[in-house]
Amino acid sequence: MARRARWGAASLGGDKSYVLTLMDVDQSALTGLMSYLRAQLTKLGEKSTVALRAAYADRADLVENGEIINAFVEDALSFCRPTTSLEAIKGSTLIFEAIIEDKNIKLDVLKKIDALCPDAYYLTNTSSIPIGVIDKGVPLNGRIIGYHFYNPPAVQKLLELISPKGVKPELVEVGVELAGKLRKKVFLANDIAGFIGNGHFMRDILHATSEVKRLAQEVGEAEAAYMMNRVSQEFMVRPMGIFQLIDYVGIDVCRFIMNVWTAR
């Protein structure tokens, strides 16, 4: 995801012009994304009719709430440019990267992007790869920070901001300001594999699987997994048990994160 904009080095505010380019290799994924954005914007509009009436006060042609909400949705979507072409992001100034959790693939894609956007700042949603590794591997010379959302991002308020050594100070300021506009609670994390959230998550997985192996000798593997899932949910007062959470996050994602740990 890339943003073309005119903006101050440490500010996203003021009278600025934005275009949001949404890039994915899968057209069906982009179609689904645009449908999701439309649905979310409609919900937001329905909850903000009073504010929208004030914002569209100069539009005499908009009378009913539904008309105003539709105008808001279409205006918001007009800033979005879905594309499967990497060339379409050329000249972007702020890049948000959230591709597969594979270091080599990330570095390869980011090198191609940086050739098109040599002055861009980068926010990476990597779940585990140290930001310094990405920064040096491209290289981006301090133009990247970790911007790790918790799943699902539209609901969870927590956001980890990870600053590698040599990061541009103005990028950190922009990251904090953007998080505020997104109504997220920022936690500053050290630049180590897994950061805060996934560091604990991976340790929980290792402990749970170890306990399942031990208990399986007495009650069987299925019962042992059920027991650990219930214990990690009810006794630790969590919305999901450890194995439910693994399934929700994705076994593939957990494997990628574990591979990063193993490699280091």
Side-chain angles (χ1 to χ4, degrees):
M1 185 168 68
R3 172 175 285 171
R4 292 198 187 107
R6 301 187 300 275
W7 49 309
S11 176
L12 292 169
D15 184 18
K16 305 295 186 292
S17 175
Y18 296 94
V19 173
L20 185 64
T21 303
L22 306 167
M23 190 272 165
D24 198 293
V25 295
D26 187 348
Q27 181 60 54
S28 63
L30 288 170
T31 301
L33 173 60
M34 295 304 292
S35 296
Y36 174 79
L37 289 177
R38 181 176 293 278
Q40 292 299 310
L41 287 167
T42 300
K43 289 181 181 179
L44 177 61
E46 291 170 347
K47 295 178 180 178
S48 312
T49 53
V50 174
L52 288 180
R53 278 197 169 275
Y56 286 88
D58 60 337
R59 291 283 303 274
D61 58 314
L62 302 178
V63 179
E64 301 293 335
N65 283 346
E67 295 174 332
I68 296 174
I69 292 170
N70 288 338
F72 162 70
V73 171
E74 294 305 323
D75 285 346
L77 290 177
S78 71
F79 290 94
C80 301
R81 304 286 191 273
T83 181
T84 56
S85 171
L86 195 62
E87 292 288 332
I89 71 172
K90 186 174 182 179
S92 295
T93 53
L94 187 64
I95 308 290
F96 181 79
E97 172 271 310
I99 61 176
I100 191 170
E101 194 70 1
D102 183 298
K103 184 188 73 173
N104 293 330
I105 294 177
K106 281 187 184 288
L107 293 180
D108 180 60
V109 173
L110 289 176
K111 286 176 182 177
K112 293 176 181 177
I113 293 175
D114 205 48
L116 297 170
C117 314
D119 299 318
Y121 285 152
Y122 292 79
L123 309 177
T124 174
N125 189 46
T126 176
S127 301
S128 58
I129 304 170
I131 312 305
V133 171
I134 299 175
D135 191 11
K136 294 177 182 177
V138 177
L140 293 172
N141 303 311
R143 290 182 289 116
I144 184 171
I145 58 173
Y147 218 63
H148 181 224
F149 291 89
Y150 281 65
N151 200 19
V155 177
Q156 293 285 2
K157 296 297 184 182
L158 299 181
L159 186 152
E160 289 179 300
L161 195 156
I162 308 102
S163 301
K165 291 182 179 179
V167 67
K168 301 290 185 183
E170 62 269 24
L171 176 54
V172 178
E173 294 178 31
V174 167
V176 172
E177 183 179 349
L178 178 58
K181 291 181 180 294
L182 294 173
R183 299 179 182 178
K184 300 299 182 183
K185 177 66 176 179
V186 173
F187 283 83
L188 302 179
N190 291 328
D191 190 23
I192 57 176
F195 319 123
I196 299 174
N198 281 323
H200 287 291
F201 183 32
M202 293 303 109
R203 291 181 179 89
D204 286 349
I205 292 174
L206 292 173
H207 176 71
T209 53
S210 176
E211 285 298 293
V212 167
K213 289 179 181 179
R214 182 180 65 82
L215 292 170
Q217 299 176 14
E218 303 174 16
V219 299
E221 187 173 14
E223 182 65 20
Y226 176 78
M227 290 169 61
M228 281 306 302
N229 194 69
R230 289 297 297 273
V231 166
S232 59
Q233 180 178 6
E234 296 186 6
F235 288 90
M236 300 185 74
V237 195
R238 293 177 173 178
M240 293 183 184
I242 183 63
F243 294 114
Q244 287 175 287
L245 184 56
I246 292 171
D247 184 61
Y248 183 79
V249 171
I251 295 176
D252 57 334
V253 174
C254 295
R255 179 173 61 84
F256 282 131
I257 297 172
M258 284 290 187
N259 286 344
V260 171
W261 276 31
T262 302
R264 293 187 60 82

